[in-house]
Amino acid sequence: VQLQASGGGLAQPGGSLRLSCGVSGSTIDGYAIGWFRQAPGRERKGVSCIERRDGSTYYGDSVKGRFTISRDNTNNTVYLQIDSLRPEDTAVYYCAARGPPPWCSDVESLYHYWGQGTLVTVSS
């Protein structure tokens, strides 16, 4: 299973970006897909996740209300819509797949497959 994260770039505070996580080698039906981020000099942390079973979604406290995760099973892609960007959102964003079991977690060691990361820089 291969994951490809894309969509990062430079954005202004208050702006928006949409990150994509394309999955190949398997359908995403059998996986929970999580997004993690690693800011400069800091540890990688989970920010959001979506499960396959019922589409349940999870968000870290710092991103609730600004980030929206969704999945397109037809295109085997998971999206992370980021609105109201803040400078502290600057980080490399990674997507990861877990399954089985296909349950969300913010523990990165539970994820089996990882994408290469996409850089988001928020600056005026």
Side-chain angles (χ1 to χ4, degrees):
V1 179
Q2 294 83 42
L3 286 76
Q4 178 78 34
S6 62
L10 176 64
Q12 293 188 339
S16 297
L17 284 173
R18 188 177 79 159
L19 307 184
S20 299
C21 178
V23 179
S24 60
S26 181
T27 67
I28 61 174
D29 285 358
Y31 301 94
I33 305 295
W35 283 96
F36 292 75
R37 69 183 181 184
Q38 186 168 22
R42 306 190 70 174
E43 294 184 351
R44 190 158 58 184
K45 293 183 65 176
V47 295
S48 187
C49 185
I50 187 166
E51 293 182 347
R52 181 262 176 184
R53 294 174 297 169
D54 57 1
S56 294
T57 58
Y58 302 87
Y59 299 94
D61 289 340
S62 63
V63 306
K64 284 179 182 176
R66 300 188 300 118
F67 287 25
T68 305
I69 191 170
S70 62
R71 62 195 294 157
D72 181 347
N73 289 345
T74 300
N75 292 315
N76 236 27
T77 301
V78 171
Y79 301 100
L80 186 68
Q81 177 70 36
I82 307 175
D83 297 317
S84 302
L85 279 161
R86 303 170 179 171
E88 54 263 39
D89 294 323
T90 295
V92 177
Y93 285 72
Y94 300 87
C95 58
R98 182 190 183 196
W103 305 333
C104 282
S105 172
D106 60 359
V107 178
E108 61 177 274
S109 62
L110 296 179
Y111 287 78
H112 302 92
Y113 307 101
W114 288 82
Q116 85 291 354
T118 185
L119 176 63
V120 171
T121 303
V122 184
S123 175
S124 56

